[in-house]
Amino acid sequence: METLYARALLCATGLAPEEAYASCLHAQFLAHPDDNLLLSLECTTDPYAAACSLQSHFTCRPLDRIRFGRSLMSALRPAYAAASDLQHFTDHLYILWSCLPAQISQEQPFWALSYAGEPLSWGDEAQTRQLCETMLHHYDPT
């Protein structure tokens, strides 16, 4: 569910295409056709509503932060690589951060979503890129 939640958030905040979320959902639903949440999500066309439903799911069950973080950062890498406007990309990172559950929003690498674009305000694109790349590769083996 963590991967699906990450995909829904990225789709809802404009950082990933809806097809990425839909294909992940369909695969999980085919693997678990008796899951009522997945059935409900199959009937939901609004990605923001789907993200909210998944966030509610994790208020009752523990969110595996590492699995969620790996999924989120892995799915964000192509969006970063394809971003032609770094300011626009980091604006969407902030929106993504504001949608995260409070219990993880102040932890790294998630907290970096909230401030990665700040150096752009004084023209420091290199620092913003460094912040983004550090965040995106947080879970990579060292």
Side-chain angles (χ1 to χ4, degrees):
M1 285 290 184
E2 284 83 356
T3 299
L4 185 60
Y5 181 38
R7 298 289 172 126
L9 283 170
L10 292 172
C11 181
T13 57
L15 286 163
E18 207 167 310
E19 296 81 32
Y21 163 72
S23 65
C24 184
L25 171 61
H26 298 325
Q28 288 197 23
F29 181 66
L30 289 174
H32 307 282
D34 294 335
D35 188 305
N36 288 333
L37 175 59
L38 293 174
L39 176 61
S40 172
L41 292 172
E42 282 283 341
C43 299
T44 303
T45 58
D46 177 21
Y48 185 77
C52 290
S53 293
L54 285 159
Q55 186 166 358
S56 294
H57 170 80
F58 287 113
T59 59
C60 302
R61 291 163 189 81
L63 175 71
D64 183 330
R65 289 167 157 85
I66 293 173
R67 179 178 288 163
F68 174 73
R70 280 187 180 137
S71 295
L72 187 70
M73 297 308 154
S74 174
L76 261 177
R77 282 186 207 123
Y80 173 69
S84 59
D85 181 345
L86 190 57
Q87 181 68 57
H88 182 75
F89 177 75
T90 58
D91 288 347
H92 282 272
L93 291 181
Y94 183 82
I95 294 167
L96 174 60
W97 174 77
S98 69
C99 294
L100 292 176
Q103 67 266 26
I104 67 168
S105 67
Q106 300 301 310
E107 298 174 5
Q108 290 296 0
F110 310 111
W111 192 19
L113 295 165
S114 72
Y115 62 78
E118 287 181 15
L120 292 174
S121 66
W122 59 85
D124 194 346
E125 181 178 328
Q127 186 177 7
T128 291
R129 290 201 179 278
Q130 180 183 12
L131 290 169
C132 286
E133 289 167 20
T134 298
M135 172 193 68
L136 292 171
H137 295 284
H138 180 85
Y139 295 100
D140 292 356
T142 54

